[in-house]
Amino acid sequence: MPKNTPIRIIDSQKTRAVSFLGGSGASGGVSDHGLLNGLADLIGRRQVLIGALSLGIAGSVLSYVSDSLFMILVGRAIQGTAGAVLLITLGLVREHCPKERVSPSIGLLLSASGVASTVGLIAGAMIVDGLGWRYIFAASAVVGVIALLGVIFLVPGTGRRQGPVPLDVAGALLFMPTICAFLIGIDM
């Protein structure tokens, strides 16, 4: 198990490094949403949901075991891929719920997301204070595994969209570095 030692960062750069940790997760999540949602339409939402959760777990584990700031940033960027889960889940609700239950179900899902974000911040602070910063990534991986198992065993298979599905891979790949550069520019 890796030591729970602080990452060595030049003192004047501490705030910027912490900002990059948050920004790398956000850029990883924001930049691939369009591609993952298009892929979900192409091959099925359940499959892409399993893939996104798996990448989120892998990013959490990478950040947990890493000793360098760069590798933690890479792990956070990979972990951010799981951010697409919410949009994919909204599509699953529309696909599997009866029409009269779609709006209340989406409302419940979005409300639960807000509550989970709030609880996550409080729990995260408690984990960092009690165990150290590394364990925030371990907790994230555990939650990801629970979610992944829930999807595997509880979410029904999904169909593919009928007809041609436009998937702009070039646009998505150009969007990723653009949004990352924009977010890094804001941080500086």
Side-chain angles (χ1 to χ4, degrees):
M1 176 163 57
K3 296 176 187 169
N4 198 32
T5 56
I7 302 169
R8 303 213 189 305
I9 303 170
I10 300 170
D11 285 327
S12 65
Q13 299 295 319
K14 282 184 180 176
T15 304
R16 184 170 294 161
V18 170
S19 175
F20 278 143
L21 281 174
S24 63
S27 63
V30 168
S31 63
D32 63 7
H33 279 28
L35 184 61
L36 289 178
N37 282 303
L39 196 58
D41 287 339
L42 188 64
I43 66 171
R45 288 183 179 87
R46 181 176 183 272
Q47 292 82 349
V48 175
L49 186 58
I50 289 170
L53 286 170
S54 298
L55 283 172
I57 294 165
S60 296
V61 170
L62 178 62
S63 293
Y64 175 76
V65 300
S66 295
D67 285 327
S68 75
L69 178 61
F70 176 75
M71 289 309 294
I72 292 171
L73 291 172
V74 170
R76 284 287 293 140
I78 295 169
Q79 186 185 29
T81 303
V85 163
L86 181 60
L87 295 176
I88 295 168
T89 305
L90 294 175
L92 282 167
V93 167
R94 292 187 60 85
E95 187 173 329
H96 291 288
C97 285
K99 189 173 182 166
E100 66 276 0
R101 300 289 306 152
V102 169
S103 291
S105 297
I106 287 176
L108 180 64
L109 184 62
L110 293 175
S111 297
S113 174
V115 170
S117 295
T118 303
V119 170
L121 288 173
I122 296 167
M126 292 170 62
I127 290 168
V128 169
D129 283 346
L131 299 172
W133 65 269
R134 265 187 209 284
Y135 290 91
I136 201 75
F137 298 114
S140 179
V142 169
V143 170
V145 167
I146 292 168
L148 180 61
L149 292 173
V151 170
I152 289 170
F153 292 111
L154 300 174
V155 174
T158 59
R160 299 176 183 164
R161 187 191 285 183
Q162 300 300 328
V165 177
L167 186 61
D168 183 11
V169 176
L173 292 176
L174 288 172
F175 181 69
M176 288 178 193
T178 303
I179 197 70
C180 289
F182 178 73
L183 291 172
I184 289 170
I186 288 175
D187 277 346
M188 298 183 127

